[in-house]
Amino acid sequence: MLRFLVLASLVVYSLGAVTRLRRPRLDGRIVGGEEVDIANFPYQLSFEYSNSHRCGASIVSANWVVTAAHCVDGASASRVQFRAGSSRRGTGGSLHPASELIANPKYDYYTIDFDIAVARVSVSFTFGTGIQPIALAREAPSAGEDSVVSGWGTLSSGSSSLPTVLQAVTVKIVASADCSAAYDSYGGITENMICAAVSGGGKDACQGDSGGPLVAGGNLVGIVSWGVGCAEANYPGVYSNVAALKDFVTEQTGVS
């Protein structure tokens, strides 16, 4: 998987007269969660690149997928497929090759702003148990609201072993002002980002499933994007704010 978290924390970039740490990519591994069944997370996809799990993604229609822009950055659509309907990484379910990858044109590699992308699949999803689309959030969730993030990443920071079975964990939405203050040395967060964590840390998304879903109230509210460490008490996980970026998805896919 794309693991930039440790190295990126040592890099600085200039924004005007201010020098800041470059925002570290959060690769979406689940920390502090538990094994779950795809039947309860039927929108969840494994984004496979050259037949290996690379990122997470979400079904939004019979032919379209939503993921993170940094997951498709530099990727060739001919090497991408999405595995649907399986709780187990790398096996089972159905495979859906990508025919087109479209990153938000405003995506910024250094600030990780506008970190959203869509992919068209050449083999449509057949909806049923374990395979269902998820609705796009029309407004950002409120601070303190429960949300669930899921994926197949490692279970602790620095581990190189991915779990076989899908993992999920419940985290609470963090007030934007508080999250921005936590990441002040990284330039804070933008209106295109939301944050989630638990008090004291210990539960989070981390390496291994960037692009995976954060869900609240039955809607896709966030996409795993970036953050410092894994489940650190002082650094909430940062997600792309789907409500703020929804127009891009609608323009490209027709999904509203």
Side-chain angles (χ1 to χ4, degrees):
M1 224 336 276
L2 304 172
R3 177 58 173 166
F4 297 99
L5 195 59
V6 174
L7 294 179
S9 66
L10 303 178
V11 179
V12 297
Y13 67 95
S14 295
L15 188 62
V18 179
T19 299
R20 292 172 174 156
L21 295 171
R22 194 176 77 188
R23 290 172 178 154
R25 278 82 182 148
L26 181 61
D27 295 333
R29 300 176 181 174
I30 303 303
V31 178
E34 60 184 5
E35 292 184 358
V36 293
D37 193 314
I38 195 68
N40 297 317
F41 295 80
Y43 47 83
Q44 173 82 53
L45 295 168
S46 172
F47 178 137
E48 297 181 353
Y49 196 69
S50 297
N51 299 311
S52 295
H53 177 79
R54 176 173 183 165
C55 277
S58 302
I59 302 169
V60 294
S61 78
N63 296 294
W64 288 97
V65 167
V66 170
T67 188
H70 79 262
C71 285
V72 307
D73 193 14
S76 169
S78 64
R79 297 172 66 185
V80 173
Q81 62 185 8
F82 298 94
R83 188 179 297 274
S86 178
S87 304
R88 303 181 73 83
R89 176 179 51 83
T91 187
S94 56
L95 294 176
H96 305 264
S99 59
E100 190 175 9
L101 304 175
I102 308 171
N104 191 305
K106 295 182 180 180
Y107 167 65
D108 187 304
Y109 176 85
Y110 291 97
T111 65
I112 326 183
D113 204 4
F114 295 93
D115 190 16
I116 192 170
V118 295
R120 188 199 299 266
V121 294
S122 58
V123 176
S124 300
F125 298 105
T126 299
F127 298 146
T129 302
I131 303 179
Q132 291 288 336
I134 188 165
L136 303 173
R138 296 179 178 275
E139 57 184 30
S142 302
E145 187 173 344
D146 280 345
S147 58
V148 179
V149 59
S150 50
W152 283 274
T154 60
L155 308 181
S156 62
S157 180
S159 174
S160 59
S161 177
L162 300 178
T164 300
V165 180
L166 181 64
Q167 305 282 313
V169 68
T170 298
V171 287
K172 291 187 179 294
I173 300 300
V174 176
S176 293
D178 293 340
C179 189
S180 199
Y183 285 104
D184 182 63
S185 59
Y186 294 88
I189 66 167
T190 74
E191 63 183 8
N192 299 312
M193 304 170 188
I194 60 173
C195 302
V198 296
S199 179
K203 295 183 179 182
D204 197 5
C206 191
Q207 315 126 307
D209 261 341
S210 285
L214 179 73
V215 173
N219 297 316
L220 182 66
V221 298
I223 298 167
V224 178
S225 185
W226 66 280
V228 168
C230 302
E232 298 285 344
N234 298 319
Y235 290 106
V238 186
Y239 301 78
S240 302
N241 182 349
V242 170
L245 299 168
K246 180 176 172 293
D247 286 351
F248 160 76
V249 178
T250 300
E251 288 166 5
Q252 298 299 327
T253 70
V255 176
S256 58

